[in-house]
């Protein structure tokens, strides 16, 4: 965790990324509005460098990575996204695609769409809804990280 935190320090200092160690995982959360506009799954071009840096830092570790997609609780019903389940899964899948293009082993990654059902902040305020819509979380599924080789 310390190695990842140190590598991400400039993004942490800018309040773009948060790193937390839990009993079972290392969580890297992008907590900003740069990732996706409301109702859209395509990653904003301005977010690609941040995601690229996270990918390069996670790349040398062998741990499994779970990318969680979230949305706010505003209903959506489009041809592409009949509900927030599809939107959140598509967002997570697009981040996984970027990680794979950056060289993270696809066999290590999982996509999880949580829709509006696991909020990181309450939807009662605009700030809470924005935070939940935009966040992405990567979890190392084993305690601690170790480098390959």
């Amino acid at each position: 965790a310390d190695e990842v935190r140190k590598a991400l320090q400039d993004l942490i200092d800018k309040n773009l990324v948060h790193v937390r160690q839990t009993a079972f995982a290392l969580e890297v959360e992008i907590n900003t509005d740069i990732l996706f506009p409301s109702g859209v799954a395509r990653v904003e071009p301005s977010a690609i460098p941040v995601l690229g840096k996270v990918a390069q830092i996670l790349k040398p570790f062998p741990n499994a990575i779970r990318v969680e997609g979230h949305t706010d609780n505003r209903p959506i019903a489009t041809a592409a996204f009949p509900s927030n389940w599809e939107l959140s899964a598509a967002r997570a899948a697009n981040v996984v695609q970027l990680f794979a293009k950056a060289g993270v082993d696809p066999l290590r990654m999982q996509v999880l769409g949580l829709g509006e059902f696991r909020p990181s902040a309450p939807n009662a305020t605009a700030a809470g809804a924005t935070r939940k819509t935009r966040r992405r979380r990567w979890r190392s599924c084993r305690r601690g990280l170790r480098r390959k080789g």
Side-chain angles (χ1 to χ4, degrees):
D2 290 337
E3 191 173 350
V4 171
R5 189 174 280 109
K6 183 178 177 183
L8 289 171
Q9 193 60 54
D10 64 320
L11 298 176
I12 293 168
D13 291 343
K14 294 175 186 173
N15 204 31
L16 295 175
V17 172
H18 300 278
V19 178
R20 276 185 301 279
Q21 179 73 54
T22 69
F24 302 104
L26 176 71
E27 297 179 358
V28 178
E29 181 179 337
I30 293 185
N31 187 16
T32 184
D33 60 0
I34 67 168
L35 291 177
F36 306 100
S38 184
V40 175
R42 184 180 46 81
V43 175
E44 283 288 329
S46 60
I48 292 173
V50 174
L51 292 171
K53 179 161 186 165
V54 172
Q56 290 307 309
I57 290 165
L58 297 178
K59 182 178 167 179
F61 298 99
N63 303 69
I65 299 170
R66 182 173 73 200
V67 179
E68 297 178 359
H70 300 261
T71 67
D72 57 30
N73 66 351
R74 285 178 239 146
I76 188 168
T78 67
F81 309 116
S83 75
N84 280 319
W85 289 108
E86 289 86 1
L87 176 58
S88 64
R91 288 175 168 180
N94 285 337
V95 170
V96 163
Q97 291 284 344
L98 287 172
F99 278 14
K101 287 179 185 173
V104 177
D105 183 354
L107 294 174
R108 293 175 49 206
M109 295 187 282
Q110 303 169 6
V111 170
L112 182 63
L114 296 168
E116 70 266 26
F117 300 105
R118 296 239 184 117
S120 61
N123 280 315
T125 66
T130 298
R131 179 172 180 223
K132 188 165 76 170
T133 299
R134 311 293 193 231
R135 84 175 181 151
R136 286 303 139 262
R137 179 181 289 166
W138 296 273
R139 282 191 173 168
S140 162
C141 295
R142 292 183 214 133
R143 187 175 172 98
L145 291 174
R146 63 184 189 287
R147 288 199 178 267
K148 288 191 262 186

